[in-house]
Each structure stands twice: as structure tokens, then as C-alpha cells.
Amino acid sequence: MPTSTPRPLRADAARNSEKILRAAREVYAEVGPDASLDAVARRAGVGIATLFRRFPDKSALLRAVLDRQFAEQVNPALDRARQDPDPLRGVALMLETALASAIAHHHVLVAARNTGVLTSGAGDRFFDALDPVVRRGQQAGAIRQDLVPEDLRRIMTMLISVAWTMEPGETGWRRYVALILDSLSPANAGTLPEPAPPIRRPDL
């Protein structure tokens, strides 16, 4: 039985979508998480009806912005990390890229959390890609054996929280990434307490 595939957007519709996504990132960065869709439409140079034809509500727009951010900024780093012969360096690249992206799109993330777009599983594709790199590092003896997947989720939450204590544009958060990476090394690693079980919570 034949299956239908989504029809490609017309050239003008595709251009409008690109303009709206670019405008959304700019407006949220400037205005904050409460930026209005009217402001996004004005920045994109389209009518609000055009925006709604492409993105039926704020949640759909925010989801599209986050998907584009992931595809453009995070996915290339994931590919490089998987191919890096040094798994710990691959983990460092993934953490730094994801953290830099989260900092750059802080207002979009807050707006997404406020509208329910960010769920407890919103970061799964990132951590699902990170887990094999960590396991490869553990097998190679480059990453401590007692690290569990939930540790990385909590470490990322900690790093984002630290970054948000700094002024916009500040890169001092890289100091704390370096400290975390040192703690992942098995050299001189002490015994860790048992990890707490995961809880359902919005991702930061």
C-alpha cells in the first residue's frame, strides 16, 4: 500500500519559514522569553497570518527554532565526537557545544519551558548520542567506570546553572567544563556514593 510523503514547500513558503525562524531567534534574544508572535512577524517582514500558516501557535514556532538550533549547532559536534579517536575529547566537545548553544538561546529555552515544549525527555536525543561516546571512553579506560547516564544529565544541568550566573557573552563557564572533565578521568578517582534515581523534570 503506497504511503504519502510530505510535499515540499513552495519556494516562497520556504523563504517565509526561514525568515520567521531567523526573526524568532533575534527577537527572543533581544526581548526575552515573553516576546510576542506579532513582534516576530514584524521582524520577519511577514503578516501574522503568514506566520500562523507556517507555525500554528507559539509552541510550534519554538519547537521549530529548537530543532533548527540542534541541527545547525549540536548535530555537527555529535558527528565529530563520535569520530574522534579520543572519547574524552569527544565528550568535552559535546558538552561545550551543547552548553554554548543553550547559553546563546537562553530566552528561547525559557519560553519553550513556559509553553510546555520542554518536557522531561526533550534532551533525550542529545544524551542518547552522548552515551555511546561515554561507553567507548569507559571501555578504553579514559572515563571512570562508575559514571552512569543520569550523571551526565545532572552535570549538564549544573553547568547551565553556572553559566547563567555570568554576564551575557562571558566564557568563564569553560573553566567549570574543564573541572568537570577532570573529574571524569579515572586517574585518582575516589569512590562515589550511589547515584540518585532519575526524576521527571523539565530540561534546562
Side-chain angles (χ1 to χ4, degrees), residues 3-10 54:
T3 58
S4 60
T5 56
R7 296 176 60 185
L9 293 176
R10 298 192 321 270
R54 300 302 323 135

PDB file of all heavy atoms in Angstrom, residues 3-10 54:
ATOM      1  N   THR A   3       2.533   4.840   0.581  1.00  0.00           N
ATOM      2  CA  THR A   3       2.480   5.805   1.689  1.00  0.00           C
ATOM      3  C   THR A   3       2.738   7.187   1.130  1.00  0.00           C
ATOM      4  O   THR A   3       3.505   7.365   0.176  1.00  0.00           O
ATOM      5  CB  THR A   3       3.528   5.479   2.762  1.00  0.00           C
ATOM      6  OG1 THR A   3       4.814   5.477   2.163  1.00  0.00           O
ATOM      7  CG2 THR A   3       3.251   4.107   3.376  1.00  0.00           C
ATOM      8  N   SER A   4       2.096   8.164   1.712  1.00  0.00           N
ATOM      9  CA  SER A   4       2.273   9.539   1.251  1.00  0.00           C
ATOM     10  C   SER A   4       3.467  10.164   1.939  1.00  0.00           C
ATOM     11  O   SER A   4       3.787   9.840   3.081  1.00  0.00           O
ATOM     12  CB  SER A   4       1.019  10.364   1.542  1.00  0.00           C
ATOM     13  OG  SER A   4       0.754  10.386   2.923  1.00  0.00           O
ATOM     14  N   THR A   5       4.157  11.034   1.235  1.00  0.00           N
ATOM     15  CA  THR A   5       5.275  11.774   1.808  1.00  0.00           C
ATOM     16  C   THR A   5       4.921  13.248   1.803  1.00  0.00           C
ATOM     17  O   THR A   5       4.173  13.719   0.946  1.00  0.00           O
ATOM     18  CB  THR A   5       6.556  11.566   0.979  1.00  0.00           C
ATOM     19  OG1 THR A   5       6.301  11.952  -0.375  1.00  0.00           O
ATOM     20  CG2 THR A   5       6.976  10.103   1.022  1.00  0.00           C
ATOM     21  N   PRO A   6       5.449  14.000   2.783  1.00  0.00           N
ATOM     22  CA  PRO A   6       5.128  15.429   2.836  1.00  0.00           C
ATOM     23  C   PRO A   6       5.549  16.126   1.553  1.00  0.00           C
ATOM     24  O   PRO A   6       6.622  15.884   1.015  1.00  0.00           O
ATOM     25  CB  PRO A   6       5.941  15.925   4.040  1.00  0.00           C
ATOM     26  CG  PRO A   6       6.256  14.707   4.827  1.00  0.00           C
ATOM     27  CD  PRO A   6       6.339  13.587   3.863  1.00  0.00           C
ATOM     28  N   ARG A   7       4.682  16.983   1.046  1.00  0.00           N
ATOM     29  CA  ARG A   7       5.016  17.737  -0.149  1.00  0.00           C
ATOM     30  C   ARG A   7       6.018  18.825   0.203  1.00  0.00           C
ATOM     31  O   ARG A   7       5.911  19.477   1.238  1.00  0.00           O
ATOM     32  CB  ARG A   7       3.756  18.361  -0.737  1.00  0.00           C
ATOM     33  CG  ARG A   7       2.738  17.341  -1.225  1.00  0.00           C
ATOM     34  CD  ARG A   7       1.472  18.027  -1.694  1.00  0.00           C
ATOM     35  NE  ARG A   7       1.745  18.945  -2.798  1.00  0.00           N
ATOM     36  CZ  ARG A   7       0.802  19.731  -3.319  1.00  0.00           C
ATOM     37  NH1 ARG A   7      -0.437  19.732  -2.824  1.00  0.00           N
ATOM     38  NH2 ARG A   7       1.107  20.539  -4.325  1.00  0.00           N
ATOM     39  N   PRO A   8       7.027  19.034  -0.647  1.00  0.00           N
ATOM     40  CA  PRO A   8       7.987  20.110  -0.352  1.00  0.00           C
ATOM     41  C   PRO A   8       7.303  21.465  -0.388  1.00  0.00           C
ATOM     42  O   PRO A   8       6.328  21.675  -1.110  1.00  0.00           O
ATOM     43  CB  PRO A   8       9.019  19.965  -1.478  1.00  0.00           C
ATOM     44  CG  PRO A   8       8.304  19.243  -2.570  1.00  0.00           C
ATOM     45  CD  PRO A   8       7.319  18.338  -1.901  1.00  0.00           C
ATOM     46  N   LEU A   9       7.815  22.377   0.437  1.00  0.00           N
ATOM     47  CA  LEU A   9       7.255  23.718   0.468  1.00  0.00           C
ATOM     48  C   LEU A   9       7.534  24.435  -0.839  1.00  0.00           C
ATOM     49  O   LEU A   9       8.575  24.246  -1.465  1.00  0.00           O
ATOM     50  CB  LEU A   9       7.871  24.518   1.619  1.00  0.00           C
ATOM     51  CG  LEU A   9       7.549  24.073   3.035  1.00  0.00           C
ATOM     52  CD1 LEU A   9       8.332  24.940   4.019  1.00  0.00           C
ATOM     53  CD2 LEU A   9       6.056  24.155   3.316  1.00  0.00           C
ATOM     54  N   ARG A  10       6.598  25.271  -1.262  1.00  0.00           N
ATOM     55  CA  ARG A  10       6.859  26.159  -2.376  1.00  0.00           C
ATOM     56  C   ARG A  10       8.014  27.080  -2.000  1.00  0.00           C
ATOM     57  O   ARG A  10       8.296  27.305  -0.822  1.00  0.00           O
ATOM     58  CB  ARG A  10       5.630  27.001  -2.705  1.00  0.00           C
ATOM     59  CG  ARG A  10       4.412  26.220  -3.131  1.00  0.00           C
ATOM     60  CD  ARG A  10       3.357  27.169  -3.709  1.00  0.00           C
ATOM     61  NE  ARG A  10       3.270  28.425  -2.989  1.00  0.00           N
ATOM     62  CZ  ARG A  10       2.459  28.646  -1.948  1.00  0.00           C
ATOM     63  NH1 ARG A  10       1.691  27.665  -1.510  1.00  0.00           N
ATOM     64  NH2 ARG A  10       2.423  29.839  -1.366  1.00  0.00           N
ATOM     65  N   ARG A  54       2.434  28.901   8.759  1.00  0.00           N
ATOM     66  CA  ARG A  54       3.623  28.055   8.880  1.00  0.00           C
ATOM     67  C   ARG A  54       3.752  27.451  10.275  1.00  0.00           C
ATOM     68  O   ARG A  54       4.202  26.317  10.422  1.00  0.00           O
ATOM     69  CB  ARG A  54       4.892  28.879   8.563  1.00  0.00           C
ATOM     70  CG  ARG A  54       4.960  29.488   7.192  1.00  0.00           C
ATOM     71  CD  ARG A  54       4.855  28.474   6.060  1.00  0.00           C
ATOM     72  NE  ARG A  54       5.533  27.235   6.357  1.00  0.00           N
ATOM     73  CZ  ARG A  54       5.007  26.028   6.132  1.00  0.00           C
ATOM     74  NH1 ARG A  54       3.803  25.918   5.603  1.00  0.00           N
ATOM     75  NH2 ARG A  54       5.693  24.954   6.418  1.00  0.00           N
TER      76      ARG A  54
END
